[in-house]
């Protein structure tokens, strides 16, 4: 593994994040001076280079896989379900997930299992394959990455998450997202990048 290239990539992403935040602050002050209401902006970051803690309090919008395929993901549970289903679609990953099933535990419950009744809030990934999703955003993403994706060797470095900052989300988006967090997850709606 080329650690220097990884560090340079992290540096580039951090610089982009700093520049974006500074540009946003400048734009916000200019808009306030002109009496313009701030607009909602979709932000994006790579899943592999984002600490799950930095995504806490954000509203997910969509995922974009390395292939360019984009999927609407209005909740963090939908984000996790979509990524795990994408992983499961690859035959070698499916086999590894099935071997891992029943062997991954959190502090109090099974994380990846065969029987949904053994879980509090199971997300169905495939027939006889469920992921426990009763966690806050940070724990949910951490469990997915560290307990499932890393052990099976799934490369999620090319996955990008588009999201909204909580404080800049319109009330109707907040209401919809909170309602969807309580409802069962349906199949993700696939779209192309021009729809984001």
């Amino acid at each position: 593994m080329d650690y220097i290239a990884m560090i340079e990539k992290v540096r580039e992403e951090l610089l982009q994040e700093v520049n974006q935040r500074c540009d946003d602050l400048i734009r916000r002050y200019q808009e306030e001076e002109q009496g313009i209401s701030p607009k909602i902006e979709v932000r994006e970051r790579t899943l592999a280079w984002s600490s799950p803690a930095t995504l806490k309090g954000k509203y997910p919008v969509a995922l974009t896989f390395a292939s360019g395929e984009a999927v609407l993901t209005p909740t963090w549970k939908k984000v996790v379900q979509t990524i795990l289903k994408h992983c499961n679609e690859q035959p070698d990953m499916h086999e590894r997930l099935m071997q891992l099933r029943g062997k991954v535990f959190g502090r109090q419950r099974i994380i990846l299992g065969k029987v949904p009744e053994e879980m509090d809030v199971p997300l169905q990934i495939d027939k006889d394959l469920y992921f426990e999703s009763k966690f806050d955003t940070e724990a949910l993403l951490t469990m997915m990455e560290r307990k499932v994706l890393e052990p099976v060797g799934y490369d999620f470095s090319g996955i990008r998450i588009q999201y909204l900052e909580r404080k800049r989300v319109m009330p109707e988006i907040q209401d919809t997202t909170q309602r969807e967090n309580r409802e069962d997850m349906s199949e993700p709606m696939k779209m192309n990048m021009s729809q984001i």
Side-chain angles (χ1 to χ4, degrees), residues 14-96:
L14 288 172
L15 288 171
Q16 288 175 355
E17 181 73 19
V18 168
N19 287 335
Q20 182 179 14
R21 287 185 182 229
C22 289
D23 289 345
D24 289 347
L25 282 172
I26 291 168
R27 185 173 33 257
R28 188 173 356 170
Y29 288 124
Q30 289 172 339
E31 288 172 350
E32 285 175 7
E33 287 176 358
Q34 297 171 5
I36 300 171
S37 336
K39 62 182 178 182
I40 295 176
E41 293 181 29
V42 176
R43 296 183 181 271
E44 182 177 85
R45 60 174 48 180
T46 305
L47 180 63
W49 298 109
S50 300
S51 163
T54 63
L55 295 170
K56 196 170 186 171
K58 313 286 193 286
Y59 283 95
V61 175
L63 285 176
T64 305
F65 291 96
S67 65
E69 174 191 10
V71 181
L72 288 176
T73 52
T75 66
W76 288 113
K77 288 179 187 177
K78 184 81 88 177
V79 166
V80 168
Q81 186 179 41
T82 302
I83 292 170
L84 289 173
K85 283 186 173 193
H86 188 269
C87 173
N88 186 60
E89 289 171 359
Q90 301 171 33
D92 58 331
M93 292 293 138
H94 170 76
E95 186 60 38
R96 292 177 195 169

Side-chain angles (χ1 to χ4, degrees), residues 76 148 172 190:
W76 288 113
V148 179
E172 57 268 19
K190 296 190 177 178

Side-chain angles (χ1 to χ4, degrees), residues 4 39 57 66 77 98 120 130 133 138 141 148 163:
I4 294 174
K39 62 182 178 182
K77 288 179 187 177
M98 294 308 237
D120 291 333
Y130 296 86
S133 67
E138 180 179 358
L141 295 172
V148 179
Y163 63 91

